[in-house]
Amino acid sequence: MKHIHYSWFILVITFCSIIVAGIVMSSSGVFIEPFENEFGWDRSVIALAFAISMFLYGVSGPFMAALLNIIGLKKMMIISMTTLLTGIILTFIMNQSWQMIIIWGFIIGLGSSLFLTVLSPYVANHWFEKRRGLAVGILTASTATGQLILLPVLAAIIENYSWRPALGLIMTLSFIMLIITLLFMKNTPKDVGILPYGLEQEIQGSNESQKENPITIAFKGLFQAVKVKEFWLLSGSYFICGLSTNGLIGTHFVSYCMSFGLPLVTAASFLSFMGIFDLLGTTLSGWLSDRFDNRWLLFWYYSLRGASLVLLPYALIEGSMTMLIIFTVFYGLDWIATVPPTISISRRIFGINKSGIVYGWINASHQAGSAVAAYGGGLIYRFFNSYTWAFFLAGTFCILASLFVIIIKKQYSSQLTKEGIMNKQQCIEN
């Protein structure tokens, strides 16, 4: 134990915390029908609560990054996990639809924001000098890991008992992570008298960036980014990315499968099965993004995702388990494969120093798309008593996203020299 660097303990705590927050968000799909059946609420109202949550946790990302610099890592994790736990506890006593909107839309949305937006890169940057990429990869995979392990378990509990024991499991895990964070989490390596993993000599950094309010820095990054056409192209494509993943599949896939007679556990297992291929696809995408034109990678990712979303209704209508398995594998490989190329293009356009804030805003558009699909899917089901049109429309939008990314200037997606990066940073400054 003495030979294990404390940064790896921080990584494990962060990993498990993200799993808990991630399963709360991905569990929305298995709670829609139980809430609808018990409380008699319209599905579009339930979907609205989940939509607000997705939008709020996404748009809060840049501000969570600012607050991390002001409050510190440990306090921010404690506040966020306590907020998340409060929302889960309040769910047990809710009996009005407006209460669900407040609890799941605002409280749980804010509670999960830190864990699902900026926590991974923050921990990797502050606790690791070497293996930083590995740390980011592990933490990014944690959301899919939680979905993979826990979603079928929650579905089985709901099917055999009710939604309350399933939510009780999430509450227990959240409480355990809160206690672990209180006892073992640290703000920086200095708190335990060490340097970041892989750093042999302390580097004195400039404190100039701390003279300005981090929230002001976040908005300055946005104001500079909106002047660049490529920011809008990336944000637009990422809006469609969120619309076609978390918002639609994450929220409505399970209910859509159940409407064709698939049991809850089976439908949830298909969703968790995507998590396996999600890990493989995202890892492979990161490898490819270092070797190929990122614009073309994104073009094919969005195009093939659109094709798979159009395929899904046919697979369910035909009742073909083979086609459904093909969709699960194919879509799972593509789920968050868009992340590495999008981050890469953003970094090459805006430079290393500013790309974090800019990507935070691009990611906010991703969650705005998730919110639109989460609520829009519920509305479409309300009017058509089916999700089919929602999946057809999402597939069409993915084709549009593929066109957005391919018209980004080629020099922005090519490998840049240090001099090239500096020149582009100067362009942004001007």
Side-chain angles (χ1 to χ4, degrees):
M1 294 292 288
K2 293 182 180 179
H3 299 291
I4 300 177
H5 197 278
Y6 201 81
S7 294
W8 294 108
F9 291 103
I10 297 297
L11 185 78
V12 171
I13 296 171
T14 306
F15 181 90
C16 294
S17 299
I18 295 174
I19 284 180
V20 172
I23 194 57
V24 173
M25 298 306 297
S26 62
S27 68
S28 59
V30 298
F31 284 124
I32 286 180
E33 287 212 356
F35 287 168
E36 186 180 41
N37 293 335
E38 176 164 336
F39 299 107
W41 299 333
D42 189 278
R43 185 168 300 195
S44 62
V45 175
I46 300 173
L48 175 62
F50 296 143
I52 293 172
S53 180
M54 290 180 181
F55 175 77
L56 192 60
Y57 97 65
V59 79
S60 300
F63 303 100
M64 290 294 171
L67 288 171
L68 274 170
N69 291 326
I70 298 172
I71 299 177
L73 178 61
K74 181 173 182 176
K75 287 184 179 179
M76 277 298 295
M77 289 184 67
I78 291 172
I79 292 170
S80 296
M81 188 60 72
T82 301
T83 303
L84 195 63
L85 186 59
T86 300
I88 293 170
I89 294 172
L90 290 175
T91 303
F92 287 100
I93 60 175
M94 70 178 185
N95 53 31
Q96 300 290 329
S97 59
W98 64 266
Q99 294 172 347
M100 181 180 177
I101 290 174
I102 292 175
I103 294 169
W104 278 83
F106 292 92
I107 299 176
I108 290 180
L110 284 173
S112 61
S113 177
L114 173 71
F115 301 106
L116 302 180
T117 55
V118 297
L119 186 60
S120 297
Y122 185 91
V123 169
N125 289 338
H126 287 77
W127 283 87
F128 291 83
E129 179 66 24
K130 293 182 179 180
R131 304 288 189 271
R132 186 176 291 169
L134 175 63
V136 172
I138 292 171
L139 294 176
T140 302
S142 57
T143 303
T145 303
Q147 177 177 302
L148 172 67
I149 297 173
L150 292 176
L151 205 57
V153 175
L154 295 177
I157 294 173
I158 292 171
E159 193 170 70
N160 292 302
Y161 302 98
S162 75
W163 61 266
R164 287 179 175 82
L167 198 64
L169 174 60
I170 299 176
M171 180 184 71
T172 302
L173 294 174
S174 301
F175 182 75
I176 291 172
M177 287 314 306
L178 177 60
I179 298 301
I180 291 175
T181 302
L182 282 166
L183 294 177
F184 302 108
M185 197 66 193
K186 306 296 181 182
N187 288 314
T188 66
K190 287 184 178 180
D191 291 348
V192 285
I194 60 174
L195 296 174
Y197 178 80
L199 185 64
E200 297 179 357
Q201 184 176 356
E202 185 174 3
I203 300 174
Q204 297 295 330
S206 174
N207 293 324
E208 290 182 9
S209 61
Q210 301 300 320
K211 294 178 181 178
E212 195 170 13
N213 190 310
I215 297 178
T216 303
I217 295 174
F219 275 112
K220 276 191 174 180
L222 175 63
F223 294 150
Q224 293 173 350
V226 296
K227 300 175 184 177
V228 181
K229 179 184 70 175
E230 283 68 26
F231 171 79
W232 293 102
L233 294 172
L234 288 173
S235 296
S237 65
Y238 233 38
F239 178 92
I240 295 172
C241 181
L243 180 146
S244 57
T245 53
N246 301 40
L248 187 63
I249 294 292
T251 305
H252 298 291
F253 175 78
V254 172
S255 295
Y256 190 33
C257 290
M258 291 176 66
S259 68
F260 284 88
L262 268 69
L264 173 61
V265 175
T266 302
S269 296
F270 274 117
L271 188 59
S272 68
F273 194 47
M274 292 179 192
I276 299 175
F277 295 95
D278 175 23
L279 297 176
L280 296 174
T282 304
T283 303
L284 178 61
S285 178
W287 183 83
L288 291 172
S289 66
D290 290 329
R291 290 161 175 80
F292 297 97
D293 190 330
N294 287 275
R295 300 174 310 141
W296 283 106
L297 290 178
L298 289 174
F299 173 83
W300 286 112
Y301 292 162
Y302 285 121
S303 298
L304 296 174
R305 181 188 297 174
S308 67
L309 288 170
V310 173
L311 169 69
L312 178 60
Y314 289 110
L316 291 172
I317 291 171
E318 294 294 327
S320 171
M321 293 299 291
T322 301
M323 290 180 66
L324 192 55
I325 291 173
I326 292 173
F327 167 81
T328 301
V329 174
F330 199 82
Y331 186 90
L333 288 170
D334 200 310
W335 186 300
I336 56 174
T338 55
V339 174
T342 301
I343 291 176
S344 181
I345 294 176
S346 176
R347 183 179 66 249
R348 290 164 186 167
I349 295 174
F350 298 99
I352 295 175
N353 293 332
K354 294 181 180 178
S355 61
I357 290 292
V358 174
Y359 178 73
W361 289 110
I362 293 173
N363 188 66
S365 71
H366 181 283
Q367 291 312 118
S370 298
V372 168
Y375 181 56
L379 281 180
I380 288 174
Y381 182 87
R382 177 182 178 183
F383 288 109
F384 297 99
N385 200 34
S386 171
Y387 287 113
T388 299
W389 272 107
F391 284 86
F392 279 144
L393 288 171
T396 303
F397 279 120
C398 284
I399 302 302
L400 182 62
S402 70
L403 299 179
F404 284 171
V405 296
I406 204 59
I407 63 175
I408 293 174
K409 290 181 180 179
K410 185 176 182 179
Q411 64 264 32
Y412 284 142
S413 61
S414 62
Q415 294 287 346
L416 300 178
T417 62
K418 290 184 178 180
E419 182 180 355
I421 292 174
M422 290 175 64
N423 289 337
K424 284 184 170 37
Q425 284 181 292
Q426 290 173 0
C427 289
I428 300 303
E429 291 285 354
N430 296 332

